[in-house]
Amino acid sequence: MKKNMYILGIETSCDETAVAIVKNGTEIVTNIVASQIDSHKRFGGVVPEIASRHHVEQITIVLDEAIKDAKVSWDEIDAIAVTEGPGLVGALLIGINAAKALAFAKQKPLVGVHHIAGHIYANRLQQEFTFPLLALIVSGGHTELVLMKEHGHFEVIGQTRDDAAGEAYDKVARMLDLPYPGGPQIDRLAAVGEPTIAYPRAWLEEDSYDFSFSGLKSAVINSIHNAKQRGITLKKEDVATSFQASVIDVLTEKTYRAAQQYDVKQVIIAGGVAANKGLRAALTDKFSQSNIPLLIPPLSLCTDNAAMIAAAGTIAYEQGRRSGLDLNATPSLLLK
Ligand code: KG4
Ligand code: ZN
């Protein structure tokens, strides 16, 4: 009988300190996430210096909790996987140094993981992949369409030319005086508003799978300013509904078109914005018109966590990828 494989994952690229253990790349044994959202809320966004300090305070506590909860002995753990980028350099370094210390002390192989590969592999904790597959990654830092023909290989076929989708959500939310993170707040308001404002949709060149959200963001800001100058206050929920409709139209249409063109067997979505109710509903509706299965991860696996890093790390480990104890943080690491 084949021995079970246990990978311990560590994620500290932004504002979540997370440690998880995943069995055979598909099964969560434990998944502990300590969120710092409350500490960053009053600043309206993530403050890198504060994020690093929280990671330092939390990492050993979260690690202890994961080990206790998993009831897996160190002997059984095959490797340590850690996010090496992209992300905030000071935040990444805390996870990387914890991972290196563990790899050295426990004599385990170390595997550096790309954060977006992690977001994609969060889906494998739900269902096995069928290739070729298309992944739509929408987070605070990324908006990408990624084609995968096999495990561990990523081809970016489209990406944002300016703001990420989540970034646009957070900025618009800030304009509407909504608390950080703005995405879930806009999502909530969008469900009760009306699409009364015609915001632009950036389709770009006809055959392009790239995205652009800065024009939309400016259009929202201008509409709020213009209304104010005319002594009118736009209803927040209508701004939210109209903005969200514009984002979702482009994301859904381009994903659908790419899925058809590349004749994929599966479409998956990943990243914080994949938690968006409107986006989930629009994609579900669109793909119900095709015979391409759409995989939507549970909300807990959309936002940052370490189970996704352990899941992506399992494949990297199986494919023989190793990092040395000189592993460094790479804030703008490319996905390939
Ligand atoms: O993947 P994630 O947790 O962190 C990054 O790697 O960036 O994504 C965070 C982003 C934030 O911009 C947040 O506002 C957005 O995901 N987000 C949402 C929703 N939940 C989180 N955006 C839209 N609708 C949501 N329900
Ligand atoms: Zn993320």
Side-chain angles (χ1 to χ4, degrees):
M1 209 176 75
K2 201 165 162 257
K3 177 188 159 293
N4 285 322
M5 184 182 290
Y6 291 96
I7 304 290
L8 184 138
I10 299 179
E11 153 66 38
T12 62
S13 68
C14 191
D15 59 349
E16 258 97 31
T17 317
V19 178
I21 295 173
V22 164
K23 181 176 161 186
N24 300 329
T26 56
E27 205 180 303
I28 295 176
V29 180
T30 184
N31 188 19
I32 311 287
V33 182
S35 174
Q36 313 173 354
I37 282 180
D38 286 343
S39 304
H40 297 287
K41 228 177 206 162
R42 64 199 155 112
F43 302 105
V46 176
V47 183
E49 188 65 21
I50 294 177
S52 305
R53 271 188 238 173
H54 275 289
H55 287 310
V56 172
E57 286 166 15
Q58 290 296 318
I59 189 72
T60 44
I61 299 170
V62 175
L63 191 58
D64 278 345
E65 199 179 329
I67 293 290
K68 246 181 243 149
D69 183 57
K71 298 182 185 69
V72 173
S73 74
W74 277 108
D75 277 350
E76 290 172 282
I77 291 177
D78 293 278
I80 316 284
V82 63
T83 309
E84 61 172 312
L88 303 168
V89 67
L92 287 163
L93 279 170
I94 313 300
I96 290 173
N97 281 308
K100 288 204 261 193
L102 278 176
F104 180 69
K106 306 288 182 189
Q107 288 297 297
K108 303 287 177 189
L110 179 67
V111 184
V113 171
H114 193 287
H115 182 77
I116 296 303
H119 273 302
I120 293 174
Y121 271 89
N123 284 274
R124 197 173 174 235
L125 297 163
Q126 286 299 110
Q127 199 177 313
E128 189 50 87
F129 286 175
T130 329
F131 300 107
L133 74 73
L134 179 73
L136 169 69
I137 297 106
V138 271
S139 74
H142 293 263
T143 307
E144 273 153 31
L145 274 170
V146 176
L147 182 68
M148 284 179 75
K149 292 182 182 146
E150 56 183 307
H151 276 302
H153 291 271
F154 311 95
E155 195 186 320
V156 180
I157 60 163
Q159 58 192 318
T160 183
R161 295 186 184 170
D162 39 60
D163 293 357
E167 205 178 338
Y169 265 96
D170 293 338
K171 284 182 185 157
V172 166
R174 224 175 150 156
M175 276 304 297
L176 295 175
D177 293 323
L178 299 169
Y180 176 84
Q185 304 287 337
I186 301 248
D187 196 8
R188 182 177 51 81
L189 286 179
V192 293
E194 295 292 332
T196 51
I197 312 159
Y199 289 132
R201 278 134 179 86
W203 298 111
L204 307 175
E205 305 81 41
E206 207 182 320
D207 56 349
S208 173
Y209 292 120
D210 279 353
F211 301 96
S212 165
F213 294 105
S214 71
L216 170 62
K217 180 190 68 188
S218 303
V220 174
I221 294 172
N222 289 341
S223 69
I224 296 170
H225 282 158
N226 289 347
K228 224 179 234 164
Q229 274 167 1
R230 284 182 284 127
I232 310 164
T233 313
L234 295 175
K235 275 195 196 161
K236 283 185 190 186
E237 54 269 38
D238 291 350
V239 174
T241 310
S242 308
F243 162 76
Q244 179 153 306
S246 179
V247 175
I248 291 176
D249 266 6
V250 178
L251 290 177
T252 306
E253 194 54 41
K254 292 208 177 205
T255 306
Y256 190 72
R257 204 151 43 77
Q260 301 279 356
Q261 190 194 326
Y262 289 95
D263 199 15
V264 298
K265 298 273 183 307
Q266 208 173 36
V267 172
I268 64 181
I269 60 170
V273 184
N276 187 271
K277 290 194 192 68
L279 178 64
R280 294 161 86 94
L283 283 168
T284 304
D285 183 48
K286 188 84 188 169
F287 279 92
S288 68
Q289 302 164 23
S290 75
N291 52 9
I292 307 169
L294 170 74
L295 222 74
I296 296 192
L299 296 183
S300 62
L301 291 177
C302 288
T303 44
D304 289 350
N305 62 84
M308 68 186 203
I309 301 303
T314 305
I315 291 292
Y317 176 69
E318 284 175 332
Q319 293 181 337
R321 300 196 204 176
R322 302 287 181 271
S323 304
L325 289 178
D326 58 350
L327 179 68
N328 205 352
T330 309
S332 47
L333 187 67
L334 291 176
L335 180 67
K336 48 181 190 300

